Amino acid sequence: MLRKIFFWLHKWLGLATGLVVLIVSLTGCITVFSDELKEYFYHERYYVEPERGGNFLNFSQLHNQAQKALGPEIKISRCEIYPTNGRTWVFRASLTDKKGFGYWNHYKYYYRVYINPYNGKVVHVENTRNEFFQVVLNLHMNLLLGDTIGTMVTGISVLCFFILLLSGFVLWFPKKWKTKAFKKDLVFKPDAGKKRMNYDLHNILGFYALIPAMLISITGLVFAFSWADQSVQFLANGGKVAEKRIIPLSTPNETYNPQPTDSAIAQIFKLHPQADALSIRFREKNTDPFDVQVRLAKNRTHLFEWYYFDRNNGKVLMRYGDQDVKGGEKFRTMNYDLHTGAFAGIPTKLVAFFVSLICATMPITGFLIWYNRGKK
C-alpha cells in the first residue's frame, strides 16, 4: 500500500512539474560554467594588456569614469576589481522592481561597465539585461517571470523534485532484497529493448545522481524560500535559531569619501596580493559602511575575507573571514558554491554539470514511461 502511494505521488508530481524541472536543469548546465564561458566568449572585455609599471589608477577615479559612461540617471551599485594584472575592473549598475511581472519589467536597468584599470579607458559598456548568460540565469531562477511569481514557481517545482527524488529512491528498491535484484537496478543491459533502456535511464541514472541532485535541490530551495534558508541553518546549528551577524554603522555621509575609499582598497591589495577579486557593494543608507568582500580563490565565494570600513575616514569597523563562521552561517556562505558545483573547482563543477544533465533527462524518460504504460 505504501509503495502504491509513493508511485502515485511520483507519477503525478513528475508530470505536473516536468517541464519546469527540464528548463531549470538545462539552464543549470549552462550556469555551472558561465564564468568560464564568459571569459572565453567575451575575452576582449575581461582582459587588457598591463601597462608599464603595472600600477592601477585610484579606485575613485575609475569609479567616476564608469559613472560618466552611464550618465547621472543610472547609479553604480556594485563592482568587481582584480589585484592580478591584465584584468578589467567591472562596475555594475542595476535597479529592480521586485513586484514587476516578467524579466524586462523586473529589471528597470542593468549595466556592466568594463574599465581598463591602468589608464581609465572604458573597454565596453554592456546592457546586461539583454546579455545571453544573464537571461539564462534568470530563466534558471524564475523562468523570466520576475522575482515574485517566477521564484515561487521554480521554488515549488524544486521542492516537488526533491520529493520525487525521495519517492524515486523508495521505488528503486527491489521488492525482494537479493543481490541479483539489486544488480538489475544498478547495471545497464546492452541488449535491452527501447522501453527497457528508457526505464533503465530513468531508474539507474536517477539512483547514481541521487545524493548530488538532493544537495543541488536543497541549496536551490535556500535561494528560493526564506523558510528553507532558516530551516537549513537551524539544523546546521544543532537545533538552534541562527543569529544574524550585526553589521556596524558608519558615520553618516550621503556619498563615499574618495580618499578613505582609495586608502581602504590599497590596504586590502597589500594584505591580499594573491586574491582573485574584490567585490564591493555601494549601499543606499548614509550610515552603511564601505563593504568589501575579498574572494581568495577563483570563482569560489565561500573562501573570503570581509571588510567593513567607515565611509568617512577609512577605519576598519569589522573584519571576518570564512574561518570565523560556523554552523548555519558556514553552510550559508557555502550555499552558492555547493549549488553551482564551484566548491572544489572544475572537478565538482563537472559533477554538477552531469548531475544537472541527468536531472534534465528525468522528466523526459519519466514521461515516456507514463506514455508507454499500456504498450508491451
Side-chain angles (χ1 to χ4, degrees), residues 327-348:
E329 189 179 17
K330 182 78 171 178
F331 188 88
R332 191 65 179 84
T333 62
M334 294 162 52
N335 194 75
Y336 178 82
D337 288 347
L338 290 172
H339 186 69
T340 60
F343 186 78
I346 295 297
T348 47

Side-chain angles (χ1 to χ4, degrees), residues 181-294:
F182 276 102
K183 186 178 179 180
K184 188 178 76 169
D185 289 336
L186 289 171
V187 181
F188 288 98
K189 300 162 190 64
D191 57 344
K194 290 182 179 180
K195 281 185 66 177
R196 181 69 202 189
M197 180 57 70
N198 181 72
Y199 177 81
D200 284 349
L201 284 171
H202 190 80
N203 200 38
I204 297 173
L205 288 181
F207 173 77
Y208 286 125
L210 178 68
I211 300 301
M214 291 180 72
L215 180 61
I216 291 172
S217 298
I218 292 170
T219 51
L221 287 172
V222 167
F223 284 126
F225 299 119
S226 59
W227 61 261
D229 186 11
Q230 293 167 7
S231 298
V232 167
Q233 292 201 51
F234 180 80
L235 293 173
N237 283 329
K240 297 179 181 179
V241 177
E243 293 184 9
K244 192 173 181 180
R245 188 176 291 272
I246 299 174
I247 304 303
L249 299 178
S250 168
T251 52
N253 195 333
E254 295 300 325
T255 61
Y256 290 87
N257 198 328
Q259 187 174 354
T261 300
D262 292 340
S263 175
I265 297 298
Q267 182 182 346
I268 293 176
F269 277 171
K270 288 181 181 179
L271 292 172
H272 304 282
Q274 302 302 319
D276 175 54
L278 277 62
S279 178
I280 302 168
R281 293 172 179 82
F282 297 99
R283 302 187 184 275
E284 294 181 358
K285 294 181 180 178
N286 63 1
T287 55
D288 286 331
F290 182 54
D291 170 355
V292 183
Q293 183 194 39
V294 183

Side-chain angles (χ1 to χ4, degrees), residues 79-324:
C79 69
E80 285 82 36
I81 64 179
Y82 299 88
T84 53
N85 289 332
R87 280 297 305 265
T88 55
W89 290 9
V90 186
F91 291 83
R92 294 198 232 173
S94 67
L95 183 65
T96 60
D97 178 7
K98 290 187 177 182
K99 295 182 180 179
F101 178 72
Y103 174 69
W104 281 271
N105 290 323
H106 173 70
Y107 281 106
K108 291 187 175 181
Y109 61 75
Y110 192 0
Y111 292 94
R112 281 187 171 100
V113 182
Y114 298 80
I115 294 277
N116 185 324
Y118 304 100
N119 56 29
K121 292 182 179 179
V122 176
V123 175
H124 184 77
V125 178
E126 173 190 277
N127 186 351
T128 308
R129 192 168 66 161
N130 299 328
E131 191 270 325
F132 173 77
F133 292 102
Q134 186 65 35
V135 175
V136 168
L137 176 61
N138 278 267
L139 186 61
H140 178 76
M141 294 191 301
N142 54 43
L143 304 177
L144 302 182
L145 297 176
D147 189 45
T148 303
I149 295 175
T151 302
M152 182 178 65
V153 172
T154 55
I156 291 172
S157 298
V158 170
L159 179 60
C160 291
F161 184 68
F162 182 77
I163 297 170
L164 284 166
L165 291 170
L166 292 175
S167 59
F169 181 61
V170 173
L171 295 171
W172 175 88
F173 271 96
K175 292 180 180 179
K176 295 180 180 179
W177 286 38
K178 294 182 179 180
T179 304
K180 186 177 180 180
F182 276 102
K183 186 178 179 180
K184 188 178 76 169
D185 289 336
L186 289 171
V187 181
F188 288 98
K189 300 162 190 64
D191 57 344
K194 290 182 179 180
K195 281 185 66 177
R196 181 69 202 189
M197 180 57 70
N198 181 72
Y199 177 81
D200 284 349
L201 284 171
H202 190 80
N203 200 38
I204 297 173
L205 288 181
F207 173 77
Y208 286 125
L210 178 68
I211 300 301
M214 291 180 72
L215 180 61
I216 291 172
S217 298
I218 292 170
T219 51
L221 287 172
V222 167
F223 284 126
F225 299 119
S226 59
W227 61 261
D229 186 11
Q230 293 167 7
S231 298
V232 167
Q233 292 201 51
F234 180 80
L235 293 173
N237 283 329
K240 297 179 181 179
V241 177
E243 293 184 9
K244 192 173 181 180
R245 188 176 291 272
I246 299 174
I247 304 303
L249 299 178
S250 168
T251 52
N253 195 333
E254 295 300 325
T255 61
Y256 290 87
N257 198 328
Q259 187 174 354
T261 300
D262 292 340
S263 175
I265 297 298
Q267 182 182 346
I268 293 176
F269 277 171
K270 288 181 181 179
L271 292 172
H272 304 282
Q274 302 302 319
D276 175 54
L278 277 62
S279 178
I280 302 168
R281 293 172 179 82
F282 297 99
R283 302 187 184 275
E284 294 181 358
K285 294 181 180 178
N286 63 1
T287 55
D288 286 331
F290 182 54
D291 170 355
V292 183
Q293 183 194 39
V294 183
R295 297 177 184 172
L296 301 175
K298 187 174 178 62
N299 296 336
R300 301 183 211 180
T301 60
H302 75 284
L303 301 174
F304 66 90
E305 287 284 337
W306 214 312
Y307 293 82
Y308 296 90
F309 297 92
D310 188 290
R311 60 168 66 195
N312 289 298
N313 55 33
K315 179 182 177 183
V316 178
L317 302 175
M318 185 171 74
R319 171 187 176 181
Y320 72 95
D322 57 273
Q323 296 180 345
D324 301 313

